[in-house]
Amino acid sequence: MDTSSKENIQLFCKSSMQPVGRPSFKKEYSSSKEKQGCCGELKVFLGALSFVYFAKALAEGYLKSTITQIERRFDIPSSLVGVIDGSFEIGNLLVITFVSYFGAKLHRPKIIGTGCLIMGVGTLLIALPQFFMQQYRYEKYSPFSNSTLSLSPCLLESDSQLPLSVIEKPQSKRNDGCVQTVAIIGPIFGFLLGSLCAKLYVDIGFVNLDHITITPKDPQWVGAWWLGYLIAGIVSLLAALPFWCLPKSLPRHRSKEDSSSSSEKSKFIMDDHTDYQTSLGEKSKIMEMARDFLPSLKNLFGNPLYLLYLCASTVQFNSLFGMVTYKPKYIEQQYGQSSSKANFVIGLINIPAVALGIFSGGIVMKKFRISVYGAAKLYLGSSVLGYLLFLSLFALGCENSDVAGITVSYQGTKPVSYHERALFSDCNSRCKCSETKWEPVCGENGITYASACLAGCQTSTRSGKTLIFYNCTCVGIAASKSGNSSGMVGRCQKDNGCPKMFLYFLVISVITSYTLSLGGIPGYILLLRCIKPQLKSFALGIYTLAIRVLAGIPAPVYFGILIDTSCLKWGFKRCGSRGSCRLYDSNAFRHIYLGLTVMLGTVSIFLSIAVLFTLKKNCVSKHRSFRTKTEGTMVSTRIRKENCTTSDHLLQPSCWPGKETQL
């Protein structure tokens, strides 16, 4: 399934070989019936293959959209989430090379159907932890949902009991463009599905939602991450059904020149039950293919152009996979957006820009009939321009949120050095607060406090889901006011300039995505034309394997490890071990996330330049060889003519008009 759709379509359309020693069965049909039968089955195969690509892309896109939800639900760091994301590609490591090499001789529709079944079951398994674990527990101040009461957060925080849980119930080119377009649509629906599920509470259907005291804007909110995996898994299982009804290959009608019948009729080689029987000759051919596996692999990696392009693509996809995996998280942490909105803008804005870029690249290649060398230049140019645009994102960041004791002092001054960071101050010393809890409260002064206790709040009132704290001593000190001040549950919004920065970020991000994707089709054409025709399927399999294994698996892991180094406030699990990050250093996060992406992109550009020079060298050498042969032919022809002219009076019979033509 990971090999190109073009190869799948071509190999499916090839007629199967007749077994040795068996007569071929031939029937004559009208040309209209022939075309209807062949085209009908081809359309079914094309439609089914497109649906498979959609299902696979839907699951992959949805996985990227649930990164932050999984972090909060299971209280794990980004590095571990990166391992989970990378493990999505591990299956390719086991089968893709052999499937791409031997798949051409086997029943390809059934192989694809089997892969869909495995993919569907695997996607469903991702959602299982939701049904075996206890319901999500978040920190809250009161088990009541609708009342007006007076609480003392300071006194509550001094209690050694565990926080209260939620009150709940126990519970062909043209065809190949078609398929690739559907594969791009899949992630769009994946991120939009992620946006929808992020708005639904994680335990929806298992708890009384009237008792939930947090909203999607709350930093403790976890959406129904598992619901999308059930939907994507069912879609994958449905995608497998048509392939079990398709034949091994389509019948192929002969050309008019080969047909002995009238021009209105053509002959087909009818596939019988013999297609499913392997003759002795076919067995020996499969054994021969197995023996040729290592020589073919050596031949492939002995091609410097293929090897350089493979390295350039692998490095570039490391950059792209890492960037896409943590893009929702980056938008949330850098610009203060909710998970639902982050997934929505990626699915509705960024991915369509990628699809448009790929489509535009194909149109340019077709309309201007660009050569392989021109394709390499277009591939390089789009990468250079794309990463240059990406550099501007460094200037489109937001400053850190003002969090007392972490980014600002309790008096409101900033910045605060690492050694000066302390969640305790004179204003909250008598409250005996816990420094491990993260229940952000936004003070009236615009400063966020890790909890109401650390804000020094004495009383609180609740009306519905709105909880307001009063007599907060720390808020009053930072506000330079006499007396006490109030605060509300939740983190304070970032400064007024941040929404504008977010808008600029979206515009640059869309342009960058479009520019980088312009080189997709030219790069694909370059890959196909730099290898021998008989090795194309194998080369595509190795290419896909390298991208998945060397980029898809490690990139989310080391991106996550480096992003974790920018954490300012870690959460802690009930057992005392470190959980997920509650607050990141915006500047450090931006420099790590963007810097690593640009660094990998730069390495990819240098490798692409090497590809261009290698291709140019090969073209020049071939041109010289061709010119040498042409000149040699012209010289030999001229010598023969001269000899023929000079010896005309001696050997007149041996040089007659038309001799060269007749010979």
Side-chain angles (χ1 to χ4, degrees), residues 21 72 87 97 106 114-115 140 182 219 250 287 329 333 378 439 501 504 518 523:
R72 293 175 190 166
S87 64
T97 304
L106 302 176
T114 304
K140 64 176 192 169
V182 174
L250 283 178
M287 293 299 296
K329 186 182 186 71
Q333 295 295 330
L378 185 57
E439 303 160 350
M501 286 293 184
Y504 294 153
L518 271 175

Side-chain angles (χ1 to χ4, degrees), residues 4 87 100 141 191 211 214 241 318 548 573 578 586 590 623:
S4 71
S87 64
S100 64
Y141 295 100
F191 276 96
H211 296 159
I214 57 176
L241 297 179
N318 267 272
R548 299 292 184 179
K573 301 179 182 178
R578 195 174 75 174
S586 295
R590 181 170 70 254
H623 178 69

Side-chain angles (χ1 to χ4, degrees), residues 145-257:
S145 59
N146 281 307
S147 62
T148 300
L149 63 157
S150 177
L151 298 174
S152 178
C154 277
L155 296 178
L156 280 177
E157 293 291 348
S158 64
D159 193 354
S160 61
Q161 295 180 355
L162 292 175
L164 295 169
S165 62
V166 181
I167 293 181
E168 57 199 24
K169 302 176 183 179
Q171 309 290 345
S172 76
K173 292 184 181 179
R174 178 176 162 184
N175 294 335
D176 187 51
C178 179
V179 175
Q180 297 296 340
T181 302
V182 174
I184 290 295
I185 294 175
I188 296 177
F189 281 87
F191 276 96
L192 292 180
L193 180 62
S195 175
L196 176 63
C197 292
K199 293 181 180 179
L200 305 175
Y201 185 66
V202 60
D203 292 321
I204 185 173
F206 300 95
V207 299
N208 188 347
L209 297 181
D210 293 334
H211 296 159
I212 305 301
T213 60
I214 57 176
T215 64
K217 294 183 179 180
D218 194 287
Q220 298 185 81
W221 176 269
V222 176
W225 62 272
W226 52 274
L227 185 59
Y229 288 110
L230 295 181
I231 296 173
I234 293 173
V235 170
S236 297
L237 293 177
L238 292 176
L241 297 179
F243 291 99
W244 298 95
C245 304
L246 289 170
K248 181 179 179 181
S249 60
L250 283 178
R252 182 179 60 183
H253 63 84
R254 296 182 180 180
S255 61
K256 294 181 179 179
E257 293 80 1

Side-chain angles (χ1 to χ4, degrees), residues 36-227:
Q36 288 176 359
C38 180
C39 293
E41 289 184 335
L42 179 60
K43 288 180 179 178
V44 171
F45 177 76
L46 179 62
L49 188 64
S50 300
F51 192 49
V52 170
Y53 270 67
F54 171 80
K56 184 175 183 295
L58 173 69
E60 290 181 340
Y62 185 76
L63 177 65
K64 305 294 184 186
S65 72
T66 57
I67 292 296
T68 55
Q69 305 296 313
I70 293 175
E71 277 189 31
R72 293 175 190 166
R73 176 64 179 91
F74 300 102
D75 211 8
I76 54 179
S78 297
S79 56
L80 186 54
V81 174
V83 174
I84 296 172
D85 181 84
S87 64
F88 196 79
E89 308 290 351
I90 289 179
N92 294 286
L93 177 64
L94 303 176
V95 299
I96 190 171
T97 304
F98 299 100
V99 169
S100 64
Y101 187 72
F102 294 104
K105 302 303 297 180
L106 302 176
H107 199 296
R108 178 157 292 204
K110 287 191 175 181
I111 292 176
I112 298 175
T114 304
C116 290
L117 291 176
I118 296 173
M119 182 173 66
V121 172
T123 306
L124 293 174
L125 288 176
I126 300 177
L128 280 186
Q130 172 66 21
F131 304 97
F132 290 105
M133 297 182 66
Q134 61 181 357
Q135 273 77 38
Y136 175 58
R137 296 173 181 265
Y138 58 89
E139 310 289 350
K140 64 176 192 169
Y141 295 100
S142 172
F144 304 99
S145 59
N146 281 307
S147 62
T148 300
L149 63 157
S150 177
L151 298 174
S152 178
C154 277
L155 296 178
L156 280 177
E157 293 291 348
S158 64
D159 193 354
S160 61
Q161 295 180 355
L162 292 175
L164 295 169
S165 62
V166 181
I167 293 181
E168 57 199 24
K169 302 176 183 179
Q171 309 290 345
S172 76
K173 292 184 181 179
R174 178 176 162 184
N175 294 335
D176 187 51
C178 179
V179 175
Q180 297 296 340
T181 302
V182 174
I184 290 295
I185 294 175
I188 296 177
F189 281 87
F191 276 96
L192 292 180
L193 180 62
S195 175
L196 176 63
C197 292
K199 293 181 180 179
L200 305 175
Y201 185 66
V202 60
D203 292 321
I204 185 173
F206 300 95
V207 299
N208 188 347
L209 297 181
D210 293 334
H211 296 159
I212 305 301
T213 60
I214 57 176
T215 64
K217 294 183 179 180
D218 194 287
Q220 298 185 81
W221 176 269
V222 176
W225 62 272
W226 52 274
L227 185 59

Side-chain angles (χ1 to χ4, degrees), residues 303-487:
N303 186 338
L305 194 59
Y306 176 80
L307 190 60
L308 283 172
Y309 179 78
L310 184 65
C311 293
S313 298
T314 301
V315 176
Q316 185 178 42
F317 275 102
N318 267 272
S319 171
L320 298 179
F321 281 151
M323 178 187 67
V324 173
T325 299
Y326 293 100
K327 195 165 192 175
K329 186 182 186 71
Y330 179 78
I331 292 176
E332 291 179 45
Q333 295 295 330
Q334 190 69 211
Y335 302 103
Q337 303 296 323
S338 65
S339 297
S340 177
K341 188 172 183 179
N343 291 326
F344 182 79
V345 297
I346 292 174
L348 204 63
I349 299 177
N350 271 97
I351 298 179
V354 173
L356 183 61
I358 293 175
F359 182 76
S360 301
I363 291 295
V364 170
M365 289 290 296
K366 181 178 180 180
K367 185 174 182 179
F368 297 99
R369 297 180 179 180
I370 298 177
S371 63
V372 180
Y373 186 66
K377 290 194 290 186
L378 185 57
Y379 174 76
L380 175 61
S382 66
S383 298
V384 172
L385 183 57
Y387 284 108
L388 285 177
L389 289 170
F390 200 84
L391 286 173
S392 62
L393 297 181
F394 280 96
L396 301 179
C398 295
E399 293 298 322
N400 286 317
S401 300
D402 292 339
V403 182
I406 299 179
T407 60
V408 297
S409 67
Y410 274 87
Q411 287 72 33
T413 59
K414 58 181 182 179
V416 177
S417 66
Y418 179 81
H419 300 287
E420 294 175 334
R421 292 172 187 167
L423 291 175
F424 298 106
S425 179
D426 293 337
C427 61
N428 58 29
S429 58
R430 66 182 182 84
C431 294
K432 299 180 181 179
C433 306
S434 170
E435 64 175 337
T436 61
K437 291 185 178 180
W438 179 250
E439 303 160 350
V441 171
C442 179
E444 191 179 18
N445 55 3
I447 297 177
T448 301
Y449 298 85
S451 66
C453 178
L454 290 170
C457 300
Q458 305 298 315
T459 59
S460 66
T461 59
R462 182 191 299 277
S463 177
K465 293 186 178 182
T466 303
L467 184 62
I468 303 176
F469 299 95
Y470 297 98
N471 301 323
C472 303
T473 55
C474 294
V475 176
I477 291 174
S480 300
K481 297 178 180 178
S482 58
N484 301 321
S485 296
S486 62

Side-chain angles (χ1 to χ4, degrees), residues 486-594:
S486 62
M488 295 181 63
V489 172
R491 191 187 303 178
C492 295
Q493 294 294 323
K494 294 203 173 187
D495 58 88
N496 294 331
C498 201
K500 186 180 294 184
M501 286 293 184
F502 179 55
L503 181 61
Y504 294 153
F505 169 81
L506 289 180
V507 173
I508 298 297
S509 180
V510 167
I511 297 174
T512 302
S513 300
Y514 174 81
T515 306
L516 286 173
S517 59
L518 271 175
I521 295 298
Y524 188 74
I525 296 299
L526 176 62
L527 172 65
L528 290 178
R529 293 190 181 177
C530 72
I531 52 181
K532 297 178 180 179
Q534 63 269 25
L535 293 177
K536 280 186 179 181
S537 179
F538 188 42
L540 289 171
I542 295 295
Y543 175 80
T544 307
L545 177 67
I547 297 300
R548 299 292 184 179
V549 175
L550 301 180
I553 295 176
V557 177
Y558 64 75
F559 262 80
I561 292 174
L562 292 174
I563 287 173
D564 280 342
T565 61
S566 64
C567 184
L568 293 175
K569 176 70 173 70
W570 287 99
F572 289 89
K573 301 179 182 178
R574 297 175 184 274
C575 61
S577 61
R578 195 174 75 174
S580 60
C581 183
R582 309 303 192 194
L583 180 69
Y584 288 92
D585 184 338
S586 295
N587 293 323
F589 192 170
R590 181 170 70 254
H591 291 123
I592 290 173
Y593 174 75
L594 300 179

